[in-house]
Amino acid sequence: MSEFNPILSKTDIRGQSPFARRTVPEASTSLVFYKEGQDALVVMPGERAPMRSQLVFGKYSWLYVVDMSEFFWTIGCNLPSQTNSFNFKASARISCSVADPVTVARRNITNIRQVLDALIVDEMKVVSKQFEVDQSNLAKDPIKSHVKR
């Protein structure tokens, strides 16, 4: 299983030189300046980060660079049918991107697939149990609609 680690880097910014160059996010990344118990500061592409001196002497301890680009993968699984002794063989093509970089930093999420794969398969199972194994073609659209919501 390939993983999607949205945290490209995590840097301790305490004690860094206040005269260092100002950090600017690259395309499809965001910068999250963070310290436990404080409000985080998010800098998106096209925005300028605060001066280094404001950060070093300020309230932030960590700088996270978070990948905001879209990531794609395929899940393969067996889904139960209405008759539990038979399974559907299924696959789903998934795409996702980070919507909230502060949550990624605060929770230190380093593998989005580990979080999402189980949730997506569980949601697919909710619908697959409504169909018999010979109705797999009928089950595709309802499963897809249920997971997309």
Side-chain angles (χ1 to χ4, degrees):
M1 171 196 305
S2 64
E3 60 181 54
F4 170 36
N5 182 356
I7 299 174
L8 299 176
S9 66
K10 177 182 176 183
T11 306
D12 186 345
I13 59 173
R14 297 170 290 191
Q16 288 190 357
S17 168
F19 304 108
R21 199 172 55 108
R22 186 182 289 207
T23 306
V24 178
E26 295 178 14
S28 74
T29 65
S30 66
L31 306 177
V32 179
F33 295 92
Y34 179 74
K35 181 177 181 180
E36 188 70 40
Q38 302 286 340
D39 288 337
L41 170 67
V42 178
V43 179
M44 301 298 284
E47 299 177 348
R48 291 177 57 105
M51 298 292 289
R52 181 66 78 173
S53 60
Q54 293 171 306
L55 298 172
V56 172
F57 300 120
K59 59 183 181 178
Y60 305 108
S61 301
W62 298 98
L63 167 60
Y64 289 83
V65 178
V66 179
D67 187 347
M68 303 292 285
S69 62
E70 199 162 14
F71 181 72
F72 301 91
W73 73 96
T74 301
I75 297 172
C77 62
N78 290 318
L79 300 175
S81 67
Q82 197 171 41
T83 308
N84 282 331
S85 55
F86 298 102
N87 291 321
F88 293 104
K89 197 169 199 87
S91 65
R93 189 147 161 69
I94 309 299
S95 68
C96 78
S97 60
V98 172
D100 183 2
V102 173
T103 299
V104 169
R106 184 171 284 128
R107 294 184 183 170
N108 200 39
I109 297 172
T110 58
N111 187 352
I112 287 183
R113 280 198 63 182
Q114 185 176 6
V115 174
L116 290 182
D117 281 6
L119 293 173
I120 291 168
V121 170
D122 285 348
E123 289 301 312
M124 292 170 69
K125 287 177 180 180
V126 168
V127 178
S128 74
K129 290 178 182 180
Q130 300 170 19
F131 295 89
E132 290 295 341
V133 74
D134 63 344
Q135 298 175 308
S136 61
N137 283 336
L138 291 173
K140 284 181 184 178
D141 287 338
I143 290 171
K144 191 183 297 184
S145 295
H146 183 76
V147 170
K148 278 188 175 181
R149 64 167 177 82

